[in-house]
Amino acid sequence: MNLKWSYKELTPEQKRKATELEGSVGISPKLAEILIRRGITTQEEAQHFFRPQLNNLLDPFLMKDMDIAVERLNEAIGRKERIMVYGDYDVDGCTAVALVYRFILQFYSNVEYYIPDRYDEGYGVSYKGIDYAKEQGVKLIIILDCGIKAIDEIAYAKEQGIDFIICDHHVPDDIMPPAVAILNPKRNDDNFPFKHLCGCGVGFKFMQAFAKDNGIPFSRLIPLLDFVAVAISADMVPVIEENRILAYHGLRQLNTNPSIGLKAIIDICGLNGRELSMSDIVFKIGPRINASGRMENGRESVDLLVERNFSTALKEAKRINGYNDMRRDIDKQMTEEANQIVARIESQKKHKAIVLYDESWKKGVVGIVASRLTEIYYRPTVVLTRDGDLATGSARSIAGFDVYSAIKSCRDLMVNFGGHTYAAGLTLRWKDVPLFRDRFQKYVEEHIQPEQTEALLDLDAHVDFKDINRRFHNELKRFGPFGPMNPKPLFFTTGVYDFGTSKVVGREQEHIKLELVDSKSNNVMNGIAFGQSDSVRFIKSKRSFDIAYTIEDNVFKHGDIQLQIEDIRPGDID
C-alpha cells in the first residue's frame, strides 16, 4: 500500500497556546503541540485528559428508557422471576454478558446467560434462544450488543410472556422492536451526550443505573471495568470522553487485579509481568475471546470470563487458545484465496470497492478477511460465504466512508443487516449476491471522496532523535489509552541513515530490525519495520531516508525504547 504523508504546521495562534500548555502542564514542546492537535487547549482540559476520573462519568439516567429498564429489572428481582442475560458471540457481546451476569449475580441468583451459536442460530436474537428461554421459565431477557433490529423475534417473545431490555449500540431503524426498554445512545430520540459506547459500555451504564437506584456503592462495579476496557479496545470505538474514562480505569484494573478468566488469557498469551495496553487487547486478548465464537460457540468464552477458579480458567483458556490457532490457519488460507481472486478479476482495478464471495469460506472468519483486504487494498470491502440459500458475511470500511449507509442503500436485497460506520454484518439471498455487488460498488463510486481513496499517515510532530529519551516516552504514555480518535502519536524524522547493522528478520524474512542515526545527533535508535523488507536494499544503500513511526517500549529489552516504523521513504515530505 502506498501511504501519503499528511502534516500541517500549527498556526501562530496554536503555537502560542502550545507554549502556554508547555509551561502550565510541564510537558515537552513537541507533546504540547500534540495536545493542541487533539483539541486540548487549556490547563484544565489537559488535567482532565491526563487524569480521567470515574466521578466524571455521565449520569446513566440521562439515557432514554434507563428509568424503565431499571424499574423492570427491580420488578423481576422483586417477583423472583428468572432472568436471562443474552449476548452476541464477539468480544463486545461476550464481555457485556459476563459483566451484567456477574454484577446481577452478586445480588440475585435466579439468573443465567445465553450466547447463540453462530452456525446454528446466526447473529442476534434467535427463535431457538427464545424457545429455550420459555422452557427455562425466563420472564426477562437482557440482550447486549444486538437486538436493535429483532422486531419479529422480540414480538414473538412477547407472545410467549417474555420481556426484553435491549442494550445495543448499533444504528437502529425507524421502527424498533417492541421491547420494554431500549438502551441505545444512537436512537434519534435519545439525548444521551455520548454516542460512541460499545455494547459492553451500554451494559455497564445499565448496571451503573441499577446500582445507583438501589443504593449499591459504585465501588462494586470497579472490578468489572476490565471487561469494558477489553470491549472498547476490541470493538474499536472512539477512545474519547466517556470511553476514555472507562478504558483508562479498565486498563488499570486489568493490570492490577484482572478477573480470573482474563488473568488466564493473559497467562496463555505470555503477557505476564508487563504493563498491558490497548494494543495487547486488540492483538492478543481480544482474538482469543473471539476465537470461541468464530470456531465453535461463544458461550465457552463467557464460561471462561465468569469463572472463579484459576486452574479451571487456565484449562478453558488453553482450549480457546487452540481455537485461535485454528482460526489463524483458516484466516491465512482464506486471505490468500481472496487475494488470488482480486488479482484475477481485472475489473476490480477500476472499482473503488471489493465484494468477494465463496461457498467454502468459514462464516466465523469472513470479518477478519474483510479487514485484511481493506488494509491491503484500502477500499471498502464485503466478504460473503454461503449458508443454504443465503449469503452471509461482513463489511469493513476505510477512514471517513460509511459502509453501513452503503449496505442500507441495498436494503431491499437484505434479509438482515446491522452495524455502524466502519463495520457491518449482512445476510441476503445467495442468488442476489451479483446484483448486490454491482449496486454496492456503484454506491461507493458515487459517494466516496477522492481523498478517501488514499491511505493517509496523519503525522503529529517532526522530531530529531536527540528529542527522544525515557522522560519523553513516559510523558507520551500519559496520552493513552490509545484508539480511534485518540491514536498513538505518529512522529517523523528526516535525514536518517542506517547505522550499518540493520537486517531482515522474521520467519519469512518479512520484517526489518533497524539501528538508525539521524543527521542532527549521535543517538542510535532501535526500530522495527513490520512487513517492509522490500525497503532493506534502499536502507543499505547508504543514502538518507525519512521515517514515520510510533515510539514503543522494547518488550525484549526492559527499559529500552524502540521505534515502530510505519513507513520508510526517500526524499522530503510533499
Side-chain angles (χ1 to χ4, degrees):
M1 184 194 301
N2 294 320
L3 299 172
K4 183 177 180 180
W5 291 20
S6 174
Y7 177 69
K8 295 178 182 177
E9 292 279 359
L10 295 183
T11 66
E13 176 63 15
Q14 287 176 319
K15 287 179 180 178
R16 184 186 66 76
K17 288 184 177 179
T19 302
E20 289 178 0
L21 276 181
E22 179 190 341
S24 63
V25 180
I27 196 169
S28 70
K30 296 293 183 183
L31 298 184
E33 286 183 22
I34 295 172
L35 284 178
I36 297 296
R37 290 185 189 279
R38 306 216 167 169
I40 298 161
T41 60
T42 68
Q43 180 181 2
E44 184 181 10
E45 289 171 347
Q47 287 172 340
H48 281 299
F49 180 76
F50 287 133
R51 299 189 192 92
Q53 300 294 316
L54 288 169
N55 59 13
N56 287 330
L57 287 173
L58 294 166
D59 181 349
F61 284 100
L62 294 174
M63 193 177 295
K64 188 169 179 62
D65 279 5
M66 186 63 80
D67 54 342
I68 301 170
V70 170
E71 183 181 352
R72 182 64 185 89
L73 178 55
N74 286 337
E75 187 179 87
I77 293 172
R79 292 177 179 172
K80 296 185 168 46
E81 294 176 349
R82 187 151 186 80
I83 300 169
M84 175 184 282
V85 184
Y86 189 125
D88 189 19
Y89 35 61
D90 67 0
V91 177
D92 192 12
C94 289
T95 52
V97 168
L99 185 151
V100 172
Y101 172 78
R102 277 187 48 180
F103 191 69
I104 292 175
L105 194 62
Q106 295 179 65
F107 315 102
Y108 185 67
S109 61
N110 195 13
V111 58
E112 63 173 303
Y113 56 87
Y114 187 91
I115 303 291
D117 186 290
R118 183 192 293 263
Y119 298 96
D120 182 37
E121 299 170 72
Y123 170 79
V125 184
S126 72
Y127 289 103
K128 181 179 178 180
I130 294 168
D131 289 340
Y132 171 79
K134 175 72 173 176
E135 290 169 9
Q136 299 301 307
V138 170
K139 294 295 183 183
L140 175 64
I141 295 178
I142 300 169
I143 187 158
L144 298 136
D145 193 35
C146 53
I148 197 64
K149 293 196 172 185
I151 295 171
D152 294 339
E153 293 86 350
I154 291 178
Y156 172 74
K158 195 172 182 180
E159 291 171 2
Q160 309 304 310
I162 300 171
D163 286 337
F164 264 80
I165 295 173
I166 298 174
C167 302
D168 205 349
H169 70 122
H170 296 102
V171 179
D173 278 337
D174 295 334
I175 300 173
M176 291 189 288
V180 170
I182 299 175
L183 307 178
N184 186 334
K186 290 192 176 77
R187 289 177 61 166
N188 290 331
D189 57 351
D190 192 329
N191 294 319
F192 192 71
F194 186 70
K195 302 297 182 183
H196 304 295
L197 292 170
C198 60
C200 188
V202 178
F204 176 84
K205 299 305 289 186
F206 183 20
M207 293 301 96
Q208 183 189 0
F210 172 74
K212 185 176 182 179
D213 189 68
N214 286 279
I216 300 166
F218 182 85
S219 59
R220 299 286 290 271
L221 279 162
I222 292 175
L224 301 172
L225 282 172
D226 52 1
F227 290 145
V228 189
V230 169
I232 288 170
S233 301
D235 224 53
M236 302 298 285
V237 290
V239 187
I240 57 173
E241 301 174 35
E242 191 91 344
N243 281 342
R244 180 173 172 78
I245 297 171
L246 293 169
Y248 179 90
H249 289 277
L251 269 180
R252 178 180 287 182
Q253 186 69 27
L254 193 68
N255 278 291
T256 57
N257 189 22
S259 302
I260 295 295
L262 289 175
K263 188 175 183 346
I265 297 174
I266 291 166
D267 190 87
I268 289 298
C269 293
L271 295 173
N272 278 324
R274 55 179 274 194
E275 185 179 356
L276 300 174
S277 67
M278 301 289 265
S279 292
D280 293 315
I281 297 171
V282 170
F283 295 110
K284 299 284 188 178
I285 297 171
R288 284 163 173 81
I289 297 173
N290 250 338
S292 176
R294 293 190 188 282
M295 306 308 297
E296 293 294 332
N297 189 300
R299 184 181 175 93
E300 292 184 55
S301 288
V302 181
D303 291 342
L304 170 59
L305 294 175
V306 302
E307 180 56 56
R308 296 179 179 275
N309 180 280
F310 185 69
S311 61
T312 303
L314 207 53
K315 290 176 185 174
E316 293 175 349
K318 287 176 180 176
R319 184 170 64 252
I320 284 174
N321 194 56
Y323 294 151
N324 193 53
D325 290 340
M326 291 165 54
R327 187 272 308 164
R328 277 192 297 211
D329 291 341
I330 294 171
D331 165 17
K332 184 178 180 182
Q333 176 188 337
M334 284 172 56
T335 301
E336 288 173 357
E337 290 174 1
N339 275 322
Q340 289 169 11
I341 293 171
V342 174
R344 282 200 310 269
I345 302 174
E346 192 68 23
S347 64
Q348 282 288 1
K349 293 180 181 178
K350 70 179 182 183
H351 289 304
K352 293 183 170 64
I354 294 171
V355 179
L356 298 181
Y357 45 98
D358 189 290
E359 294 189 20
S360 65
W361 286 343
K362 193 170 180 66
K363 190 193 297 187
V365 187
V366 291
I368 299 174
V369 176
S371 295
R372 298 262 190 272
L373 294 174
T374 303
E375 291 169 7
I376 295 168
Y377 298 103
Y378 206 70
R379 282 180 270 181
T381 299
V382 179
V383 178
L384 300 161
T385 188
R386 188 164 186 167
D387 184 8
D389 293 332
L390 299 176
T392 183
S394 294
R396 297 292 184 269
S397 195
I398 56 176
F401 185 78
D402 187 348
V403 75
Y404 176 85
S405 293
I407 294 170
K408 189 177 181 181
S409 72
C410 307
R411 67 180 307 153
D412 57 301
L413 301 178
M414 296 295 115
V415 174
N416 193 13
F417 73 102
H420 41 77
T421 303
Y422 295 119
L426 63 158
T427 301
L428 65 156
R429 290 176 293 277
W430 182 258
K431 67 181 180 64
D432 289 336
V433 169
L435 178 58
F436 165 74
R437 177 195 59 205
D438 295 343
R439 285 176 52 184
F440 179 85
Q441 289 178 333
K442 184 180 179 184
Y443 179 94
V444 173
E445 287 166 8
E446 290 175 350
H447 290 82
I448 200 164
Q449 300 301 310
E451 62 271 18
Q452 293 173 335
T453 61
E454 293 181 294
L456 285 179
L457 280 182
D458 282 317
L459 303 170
D460 287 284
H462 178 277
V463 299
D464 300 320
F465 286 173
K466 63 181 173 57
D467 300 322
I468 303 172
N469 52 37
R470 173 50 60 184
R471 179 183 173 184
F472 183 86
H473 187 41
N474 286 339
E475 288 181 353
L476 183 60
K477 285 182 177 180
R478 296 172 64 199
F479 281 72
F482 299 114
M485 295 183 72
N486 186 44
K488 285 184 180 178
L490 193 57
F491 302 98
F492 68 101
T493 302
T494 55
V496 170
Y497 295 86
D498 174 31
F499 188 60
T501 48
S502 299
K503 60 183 179 181
V504 175
V505 296
R507 185 180 300 175
E508 299 177 13
Q509 299 288 283
E510 69 271 40
H511 314 308
I512 313 174
K513 190 175 186 300
L514 298 145
E515 288 190 330
L516 303 171
V517 292
D518 68 1
S519 56
K520 297 182 180 178
S521 71
N522 294 319
N523 290 11
V524 179
M525 295 300 304
N526 294 313
I528 184 75
F530 292 113
Q532 298 184 61
S533 58
D534 289 349
S535 298
V536 74
R537 286 186 181 177
F538 180 82
I539 289 169
K540 289 294 187 182
S541 70
K542 297 186 179 179
R543 287 180 289 171
S544 71
F545 51 95
D546 304 337
I547 55 172
Y549 55 89
T550 59
I551 302 173
E552 312 286 348
D553 284 311
N554 188 330
V555 296
F556 300 106
K557 291 183 180 179
H558 185 67
D560 281 7
I561 298 168
Q562 77 171 1
L563 312 181
Q564 184 164 314
I565 313 295
E566 298 298 322
D567 198 26
I568 301 168
R569 71 176 206 180
D572 296 325
I573 293 177
D574 295 331

